[in-house]
Amino acid sequence: MSFDLFGTTTSPFVRRVRVVAMERNIPFTFIDVNTAEGQATLRSMSPIWKAPTVRFDDGVVAWDSRVIIDMLCSDGWAPLRAPPLQRAARADEENVVNVIDEGLLALIRRYYPVTAKAPLDLPWLEKDFARTKNILAWLETRVREDKWVGAYGAGQGFGRAELALYTATQWMRFRNMIDVDQFPKLVAFEKSWHDRPSLAATKPGEPVVTFCS
Ligand SMILES: N[C@@H](CCC(=O)N[C@@H](CS)C(=O)NCC(=O)O)C(=O)O
């Protein structure tokens, strides 16, 4: 399997796909959608114009990081932790990933007026900001042993929830969107994973490496 990845060097959702590809040793070609050509191709492929969007070597196109990651792991998740099979544990993991996605999307909606120097004192932007703070406070109560997120994952490796949380808080720091340091358990969580090679090789804004070992 190989694929073309339409993305940016900064997107946390694109980063998740890059991390999974590196972890699973799946080669890909990166196409920057911040170029005119990359953006035009993205728009010809996806009606929502969002990154990540992927075209696999068999021609299959997918957007949304969760769907893409599922496809990259269709024959197994190793060395990542597979999603749990047990009902309650599965719901817990899906809920955690969904919470993180919503927190990120709320801050991404705020990021655009921040960069445009547009007003931020609008009720829906204020609600989005409060929502993200509430989400981070909730996640703070879900971190276990400084490493795992959610009820199910203790000692079972780096899975979707940990990937989602790490890439989210790192993007929030990179864009200076919220003070992550006010959440000590999230800070401890980040520290636990900093040296994982796939995370260290995909820092926001740095050139994309598409290595396979
Ligand atoms: N649910 C999507 C979210 C993707 C997303 O929001 N991507 C942002 C970049 S971080 C994007 O492409 N934004 C461009 C836009 O809104 O036009 C996923 O998980 O892939």
Side-chain angles (χ1 to χ4, degrees):
M1 185 197 298
S2 66
F3 63 96
D4 290 338
L5 170 60
F6 295 81
T8 65
T9 59
T10 51
S11 161
F13 295 104
V14 173
R15 188 179 184 191
R16 292 185 200 172
V17 172
R18 292 166 57 199
V19 167
V20 172
M22 282 187 189
E23 293 276 352
R24 302 215 2 95
N25 218 15
I26 301 170
F28 66 93
T29 302
F30 179 75
I31 298 106
D32 193 335
V33 301
N34 280 333
T35 65
E37 202 187 336
Q39 185 62 214
T41 314
L42 171 73
R43 291 184 180 208
S44 72
M45 293 164 66
S46 162
I48 57 173
W49 303 348
K50 283 193 172 191
T53 290
V54 154
R55 183 169 48 217
F56 290 96
D57 51 358
D58 61 359
V60 169
V61 170
W63 50 83
D64 197 278
S65 56
R66 288 212 217 184
V67 176
I68 297 165
I69 289 169
D70 264 2
M71 296 184 88
L72 294 178
C73 298
S74 57
D75 61 352
W77 287 76
L80 301 168
R81 185 187 69 236
L85 297 176
Q86 199 270 333
R87 255 169 67 80
R90 181 60 190 258
D92 184 78
E93 185 181 78
E94 296 288 356
N95 288 343
V96 167
V97 175
N98 181 260
V99 160
I100 296 165
D101 285 1
E102 290 298 330
L104 260 179
L105 290 169
L107 278 191
I108 289 169
R109 282 191 292 273
R110 187 179 174 85
Y111 173 69
Y112 298 129
V114 165
T115 52
K117 296 195 170 25
L120 293 174
D121 57 346
L122 298 167
W124 53 91
L125 288 179
E126 284 170 356
K127 182 177 180 189
D128 264 347
F129 197 56
R131 190 200 319 271
T132 306
K133 276 200 246 170
N134 187 58
I135 284 171
L136 291 182
W138 184 84
L139 287 164
E140 175 85 354
T141 69
R142 307 293 290 176
V143 171
R144 308 206 181 273
E145 298 170 47
D146 292 348
K147 272 198 155 184
W148 325 107
V149 197
Y152 55 87
Q156 294 172 28
F158 186 74
R160 298 188 316 162
E162 290 76 18
L163 174 60
L165 182 58
Y166 185 87
T167 50
T169 58
Q170 292 284 297
W171 179 84
M172 291 172 193
R173 288 182 185 283
F174 176 69
R175 291 301 192 199
N176 204 17
M177 291 304 293
I178 196 164
D179 177 20
V180 178
D181 288 336
Q182 67 187 293
F183 302 103
K185 297 250 183 204
L186 299 187
V187 174
F189 166 85
E190 289 177 308
K191 276 204 188 110
S192 294
W193 296 112
H194 274 327
D195 295 334
R196 195 172 177 97
S198 61
L199 299 175
T202 54
K203 294 198 180 102
E206 293 189 4
V208 173
V209 183
T210 57
F211 71 82
C212 275
S213 59

